[in-house]
Amino acid sequence: MDAVRMHAASPESSAIVDAVLEYSRRRMLAADVPLDKPQTEAELKRLLGGATITDAGLGAPRALSVFEHILAPACLTTSHPLYLSFIPTAPTTAAIAFDLVVSASGLYGGSWLEGAGAVHAENEVLSFLAAEFGMPASAGGVFVQGGTIGNLSALVAAREAAKARLLDAGKELPRRWKIVCSVEAHSSNKSAAKVMDADVLLVPAGDDGVLRADAVREALAEHGDEICAVVATGGSTNFGIVDDIAGIAALKDEFEFWLHIDGAYGLTAMLSPEARSIFAGVERADSVIVDPHKWLFAPFDCCALIYREPEAGRRAHTQHAEYLDTLTDGDDFSPSDYSIQLTRRPRGLPLWFSLATYGVTAYREAVGATMALTQRIAEEIRSRPELTLVRDPQLSVVVFERDGWERADYDRWSAALLDTQQAFVVPSSHRGRPNTRFAILNPLTTFEDLVGILDTMV
């Protein structure tokens, strides 16, 4: 009896499902979800009063109560409209709800054989995104865990493509591969190079933070066939800056290299007609990533990795083993062939359901609204004599300084905002100077909310 208790349909199982769904329903539909804040390990142990993992178990009612009243309040609500630090998330109601369906349905998204329907839906989303980015109809890829895995998978594919190109030309392979990116590129690109045992060529950006073609040309001319990829950023995390993608892409007319666009945060802005021109040149990329759990309003964790020529990803990543022969010997599209991950949940389905539910126009309007709010609050910051914009915002990140403040002042101010549950806004820095920033992605964030935060800095 005990051996099947956890899996059998029973009154106990029904009660568990009912309790979890009721909690989820209340949480998803609540209009006043708190920001919450972390607790120390000592305080959590005190509140729990002992171990939660025991031989007999706590039972579902008590375990759910522990989560609801002790553990969940010690986690920041990253989808809160006043969570304005790092890069927030703001999943739609439809996406959150369907994430429950994905888990409840026992779906595996690694192969066509096991998840044809789910893979088809994910591929429809990938095709939609590829078309938005101007890539050919043949482009495709896979949803992976996040931007780090997406960048790593793309750069591995770039290295394998460079290796094949040199070998086909009868050339020797370099002792170490090199990856070109801006000094302001996301740290995950440097992490990927470390995993690949490759070197990173950090090319200086301009004073405005933009990586331009001339600097990349110098690196390509000097290092030639040692370079397996050039990474351009489509919206930096710290400032939301977009590199000169068009200029860098034009270098493909002079040099042979794989162009990867790290658009984890910012590439979503292409859904807004007003921003499309900023990303000219993306259509020439060999690979791109964008994180739907950021500005495409999907739940954690979800990154869309798209190859211009998906076969390049498949050649680099298909795993071979006797037990996998039934999957790899055919021509079916199996998502696990396109990244370093074999086991995968169909994490693109919540985004598919949300897009299918609300339509693309709703997404365009939501992205455009956050960009408009960014410009409006930037104007407000310019109007305040005690505040200084560090850079004019390009997408939806505003970085500014409170004149005369040191890091300790920002720390005290930030802690007070969270303690009072007014907002989550952490200090940042640029070129050794402390500052702070608003990362605006949630359509529920209002101008009045942001003005109220600025008023606390007077």
Side-chain angles (χ1 to χ4, degrees):
M1 185 67 175
D2 285 341
V4 300
R5 172 190 166 201
M6 297 186 296
H7 300 84
S10 66
E12 180 186 32
S13 295
S14 295
I16 292 172
V17 170
D18 288 345
V20 169
L21 290 179
E22 174 56 26
Y23 170 79
S24 300
R25 185 180 188 281
R26 285 188 284 109
R27 181 80 184 196
M28 285 188 284
L29 297 178
D32 56 350
V33 173
L35 260 170
D36 289 323
K37 61 180 182 178
Q39 298 288 349
T40 65
E41 182 74 10
E43 178 63 8
L44 284 174
K45 285 182 176 179
R46 186 191 69 79
L47 292 170
L48 291 170
T52 59
I53 307 300
T54 64
D55 286 344
L58 301 180
R62 186 177 170 195
L64 185 58
S65 178
V66 165
F67 176 77
E68 180 176 2
H69 299 293
I70 299 176
L71 300 179
C75 301
L76 283 165
T77 303
T78 61
S79 58
H80 194 285
L82 289 169
Y83 182 107
L84 298 162
S85 296
F86 311 121
I87 299 293
T89 185
T92 67
T93 302
I96 300 170
F98 205 75
D99 206 29
L100 295 176
V101 174
V102 174
S103 294
S105 300
L107 301 177
Y108 175 68
S111 73
W112 187 270
L113 174 65
E114 296 157 287
V119 174
H120 175 85
E122 287 187 313
N123 285 349
E124 186 176 350
V125 178
L126 292 168
S127 293
F128 157 70
L129 292 174
E132 287 291 308
F133 305 151
M135 301 178 79
S138 56
V142 60
F143 287 99
V144 296
Q145 178 186 1
T148 297
I149 298 298
N151 283 332
L152 175 58
S153 297
L155 293 174
V156 167
R159 180 190 62 192
E160 295 307 298
K163 184 186 299 183
R165 174 169 54 81
L166 292 184
L167 291 176
D168 288 346
K171 296 182 178 181
E172 291 187 7
L173 300 181
R175 186 178 62 84
R176 288 179 66 84
W177 293 101
K178 292 180 170 60
I179 296 168
V180 175
C181 64
S182 165
V183 293
E184 300 214 17
H186 192 269
S187 58
S188 63
N189 293 287
K190 300 159 195 170
S191 175
K194 184 176 181 180
V195 171
M196 294 166 61
D197 198 25
D199 293 327
V200 176
L201 294 176
L202 293 177
V203 178
D207 290 339
D208 56 1
V210 175
L211 176 65
R212 292 187 168 81
D214 288 347
V216 176
R217 180 186 283 108
E218 290 183 15
L220 290 168
E222 179 178 352
H223 298 279
D225 289 338
E226 294 180 313
I227 294 173
C228 64
V230 173
V231 179
T233 301
S236 62
T237 300
N238 202 24
F239 281 96
I241 292 169
V242 180
D243 287 338
D244 174 24
I245 298 173
I248 296 169
L251 295 175
K252 292 172 73 70
D253 296 333
E254 304 175 43
F255 304 91
E256 284 192 274
F257 65 93
W258 180 292
L259 175 59
H260 174 62
I261 307 299
D262 180 358
Y265 148 59
L267 201 54
T268 295
M270 288 191 72
L271 270 68
S272 173
E274 294 80 7
R276 292 191 67 85
S277 61
I278 301 173
F279 297 89
V282 167
E283 68 278 0
R284 298 194 65 181
D286 296 286
S287 58
V288 304
I289 67 160
V290 62
D291 285 356
H293 63 230
K294 293 186 170 75
W295 211 356
L296 275 169
F297 314 127
F300 289 123
D301 44 16
C302 185
C303 168
L305 163 61
I306 304 173
Y307 298 101
R308 182 180 193 83
E309 297 180 5
E311 187 59 29
R314 183 171 182 171
R315 285 194 300 267
H317 292 294
T318 298
Q319 297 187 31
H320 297 279
E322 290 178 349
Y323 75 97
L324 295 175
D325 287 347
T326 189
L327 302 179
T328 57
D329 288 348
D331 295 326
D332 291 336
F333 186 96
S334 292
S336 290
D337 289 341
Y338 298 89
S339 78
I340 64 171
Q341 295 174 294
L342 181 61
T343 300
R344 67 176 296 273
R345 73 194 303 265
R347 51 177 42 89
L349 282 184
L351 175 58
W352 165 81
F353 184 73
S354 186
L355 281 166
T357 297
Y358 301 120
V360 176
T361 299
Y363 274 74
R364 297 195 196 284
E365 291 175 350
V367 172
T370 53
M371 292 184 67
L373 175 58
T374 302
Q375 293 300 321
R376 188 180 177 193
I377 198 62
E379 284 298 322
E380 178 68 21
I381 291 169
R382 290 188 189 97
S383 73
R384 297 191 174 214
E386 74 277 8
L387 302 178
T388 302
L389 275 178
V390 178
R391 283 177 180 159
D392 291 336
Q394 192 173 19
L395 299 179
S396 69
V397 175
V398 186
V399 183
F400 57 99
E401 296 178 357
R402 170 58 165 89
D403 297 344
W405 275 17
E406 303 295 335
R407 178 56 186 258
D409 299 303
Y410 287 101
D411 287 338
R412 284 191 294 269
W413 168 77
S414 175
L417 285 176
L418 189 56
D419 284 343
T420 59
Q421 294 287 280
Q422 182 173 352
F424 179 59
V425 186
V426 299
S428 186
S429 65
H430 179 60
R431 295 178 178 173
R433 292 176 59 91
N435 58 47
T436 191
R437 56 194 281 282
F438 293 154
I440 305 168
L441 271 71
N442 195 322
L444 295 178
T445 304
T446 69
F447 179 72
E448 291 72 24
D449 289 333
L450 300 177
V451 168
I453 296 170
L454 297 182
D455 287 344
T456 66
M457 304 182 83
V458 175

